Amino acid sequence: MGGVPIRPRRAGIAVAALTALLVSGCSGTPERPDPSPSPAATSAAPSTSAATPAAADPAARAAALVATLSDEDLVGQVLMPYAYGDSATKVSPGSAAGNQALAGVDTPAQMIAKYRLGGLILVGFSADDPTKGNQETTNVDNPKQVHELTGGLREAAGRLAAGPAPFLIGTDQEYGVVTRVTDGVTLLPSALAAGAAGDPKLTENAWRAAGTELAAMGINVDFAPVADVLATRSKVIGSRSYGSDPKIAAAQVGGAVRGLQASGVAATLKHFPGHGHSADDSHQDLPVLTQSAEALRTGAWPPFTAGIDAGAMAVMSAHLDVRAVDPGTPATFSHKLLTDVLRGQLGFKGVVITDGMNMPPAKRWAPGEAAVRALNAGNDLILMTPNVGQAFDGLLAALRGGSLPRTRLVEAVTRVLTMKFRLADAPAAQMSTLNSPAHRAAAEALAAGAVTVLRGECGKAVRGPVTVTSSGGRDGTRAALTAALTAAGVAVKPSGGTVVHLVGYGDGADDLRADAAVTVAMDTPYVLAGAASPTLLATYSSSRASMTALAAVLAGKARPGGRSPVAVSGLPATTCGT
């Protein structure tokens, strides 16, 4: 390593050149609100007569801290890997082996210390999860365990040179099919359900409740909301999207961002420049977007712009080949898309986070080279590298060798620390708020607004007694609907009743039931085009709140006011005339 200094260099000169840029925003871009928590959260910051405006300003605090950091500290702050184990310091032999392979350490706390990490993502998967391909392990079980884990991670990070800025702990809590923490928390209906309800205020209220619970568990970054417009029948995006209409999706995304960040949790718009414009899955290969730049500007980017206008702190770049802008280069590694378009045209000033770097399109390069390419393209955080040590070493060598400009790394770290300081003073709720009646009411209001009748009389009660059936593997959902119907006064029996048949994620024509009086789609409603039932309903979600809302409609106690946010062949958006 000839020419590489042995003693860590400091970032002071680069900071001086960047401080004015980052404090005042990116010059030459449209004005956007600074990504920050709500005024209520901001007003909770401590204030003393000794505090100066510069000391209180997150960007100034970030710039001052960056100036003290060594090369190794700078590199660590742009890494946000996953780790094995449900505790920061005590893990099973299997988890220790996983961490050794990933980072040459035994525990998550050791990983933080060794690589001076800026953050960690909590991972997990379920049977209906379209993202399970890059979920190598799971370290979420229940809220108490998550709270203890995040506390241990923060304790480890507090010993770092960057310790004054709070550690970033993120997860994919989208609700619907991608939900990491599922037990003991308020579960919102899916994004597509919110699109069907069509009321951004309901969405904002529900996401404020969700954000409060995430913050109580110690999670301060949510990789949500999904801002992708469902322009294709993408199975990997599907009900994770707010729908196929860019304007409707934009309004919903704005509501979700405002609600989430009002609770002191950073929102992440994903997957830029628009995963819903390809039906292919980036967890398997590199999807290609063939639309023109103008078609993307009008059809894919309005929800991202709405989220930016709402103050979203982060945007996730996607592994997508956008032929009209930078053909052959995944967007994650495209300077044209991330710097010229996202920052230059859309005016985004916050943190750009890669999609999982353990996904096939990112693994065409070794972890170190991939991390350098991603930083140079304009990303600020490297998410889920397949090898932490190699990514760290590759970034450090590139920094000292000149292929990663120091100004680019300092810019990225300053953005990351600015976001951290913006989150620092947001008050976290107590664990007792989890799954509270007020939070459940917010989720139930959104779910109730979503129920859609696509065939049959609007609001007509089902003739009882009822028999609830479903495609395979949905025992819990059937039980939830059975309980909700019983509470609504509808008799339910195991067989011989009026059949209400449930279909969900991944189901097709073979999962339909010809003798069902009512068929209900609990994910994307496309499958209903082939259903013979005289009554077709959609909840777009199998959450308990959605089953409660469905039961009220089946009992004739609630009017199904939703409109399908995607077109279903041969069926109207609703038969309710609204």
Side-chain angles (χ1 to χ4, degrees):
M1 297 179 63
V4 176
I6 297 174
R7 194 170 64 186
R9 294 175 61 188
R10 302 288 172 175
I13 295 175
V15 169
L18 286 166
T19 298
L21 173 68
L22 294 174
V23 172
S24 62
C26 298
S27 61
T29 60
E31 285 299 315
R32 303 286 187 191
D34 283 335
S36 59
S38 69
T42 304
S43 66
S47 176
T48 67
S49 59
T52 65
D57 179 71
R61 293 167 70 187
L65 181 55
V66 167
T68 71
L69 299 181
S70 69
D71 290 355
E72 291 84 354
D73 295 318
L74 291 172
V75 167
Q77 284 301 296
V78 301
L79 293 175
M80 194 172 190
Y82 62 93
Y84 292 82
D86 58 7
S87 166
T89 57
K90 297 179 181 179
V91 301
S92 68
S95 291
N99 287 326
Q100 281 290 339
L102 178 64
V105 298
D106 288 337
T107 70
Q110 291 169 358
M111 192 184 301
I112 290 169
K114 182 174 181 178
Y115 297 106
R116 299 110 182 275
L117 298 179
L120 202 74
I121 178 175
L122 307 185
V123 293
F125 52 87
S126 60
D128 285 351
D129 185 353
T131 71
K132 60 187 176 183
N134 74 326
Q135 301 296 298
E136 305 289 349
T137 182
T138 180
N139 47 21
V140 294
D141 183 20
N142 59 71
K144 182 177 183 293
Q145 172 264 320
V146 172
H147 185 260
E148 291 175 353
L149 171 61
T150 59
L153 297 176
R154 285 206 168 82
E155 183 178 353
R159 303 186 186 101
L160 301 177
F167 192 62
L168 297 179
I169 301 175
T171 198
D172 294 282
Q173 193 81 349
E174 296 177 11
Y175 301 96
V177 292
V178 178
T179 307
R180 302 296 180 232
V181 188
T182 58
D183 295 332
V185 297
T186 302
L187 293 177
L188 308 189
S190 69
L192 202 61
D199 186 340
K201 193 62 181 177
L202 290 177
T203 302
E204 181 176 343
N205 291 342
W207 276 94
R208 182 179 290 108
T212 299
E213 297 191 4
L214 288 170
M217 289 184 286
I219 295 167
N220 58 3
V221 180
D222 194 2
F223 299 118
V226 171
D228 302 317
V229 175
L230 197 58
T232 67
R233 290 197 179 185
S234 167
K235 291 183 179 179
V236 69
I237 299 302
S239 61
R240 302 164 67 193
S241 166
Y242 289 97
S244 61
D245 187 316
K247 293 182 179 178
I248 292 175
Q252 291 294 322
V253 167
V257 168
R258 287 188 293 272
L260 189 58
Q261 294 194 168
S263 303
V265 176
T268 308
L269 309 174
K270 64 185 191 186
H271 311 78
F272 185 81
H275 208 315
H277 276 65
S278 171
D280 295 329
D281 185 355
S282 60
H283 296 85
Q284 300 174 3
D285 207 341
L286 179 64
V288 174
L289 272 59
T290 59
Q291 296 84 357
S292 69
E294 177 62 17
L296 293 172
R297 185 187 69 80
T298 58
W301 297 342
F304 290 96
T305 301
I308 293 168
D309 286 344
M313 294 190 194
V315 170
M316 179 176 287
S317 60
H319 306 315
L320 302 170
D321 180 357
V322 184
R323 292 294 169 88
V325 180
D326 197 358
T329 303
T332 312
F333 305 97
S334 171
H335 189 276
K336 291 180 180 178
L337 282 160
L338 300 187
T339 302
D340 298 346
V341 175
L342 179 58
R343 295 207 186 277
Q345 294 180 28
L346 275 61
F348 181 60
K349 300 176 183 178
V351 173
V352 180
I353 306 173
T354 71
D355 203 346
M357 297 289 276
N358 61 343
M359 294 163 63
K363 292 173 72 174
R364 60 173 62 180
W365 298 287
E369 183 179 355
V372 173
R373 285 175 177 266
L375 261 291
N376 279 333
N379 292 281
D380 304 305
L381 268 176
I382 306 299
L383 191 67
M384 299 179 74
T385 175
N387 190 287
V388 183
Q390 292 177 30
F392 183 92
D393 291 344
L395 287 167
L396 189 60
L399 174 66
R400 293 175 173 174
S403 58
L404 174 60
R406 183 170 295 274
T407 52
R408 171 75 274 268
L409 180 60
V410 169
E411 178 185 55
V413 176
T414 305
R415 287 198 182 109
V416 170
L417 294 179
T418 298
M419 182 169 78
K420 290 184 173 189
F421 282 123
R422 282 182 170 136
L423 295 168
D425 297 320
Q430 298 299 310
M431 290 285 285
S432 59
T433 64
L434 269 63
N435 205 24
S436 67
H439 290 178
R440 291 198 302 272
E444 289 166 1
L446 184 58
V451 182
T452 306
V453 53
L454 291 89
R455 180 190 291 159
E457 288 187 48
C458 179
K460 182 180 180 181
V462 68
R463 179 179 297 177
V466 164
T467 296
V468 179
T469 64
S470 72
S471 56
R474 307 193 187 280
D475 294 348
T477 307
R478 287 202 313 274
L481 179 57
T482 297
L485 284 168
T486 302
V490 177
V492 182
K493 62 181 185 178
S495 61
T498 301
V499 174
V500 174
H501 186 64
L502 306 175
V503 287
Y505 174 80
D507 288 343
D510 291 344
D511 298 293
L512 297 170
R513 182 164 169 164
D515 64 342
V518 181
T519 299
V520 183
M522 304 184 298
D523 194 66
T524 53
Y526 304 124
V527 67
L528 295 179
S533 301
T535 299
L536 301 177
L537 297 173
T539 61
Y540 315 95
S541 172
S542 60
S543 70
R544 186 171 297 276
S546 295
M547 294 303 97
T548 299
L550 173 62
V553 168
L554 292 172
K557 295 184 176 182
R559 185 176 185 275
R563 295 179 60 87
S564 178
V566 295
V568 181
S569 179
L571 296 173
T574 177
T575 64
C576 284
T578 58

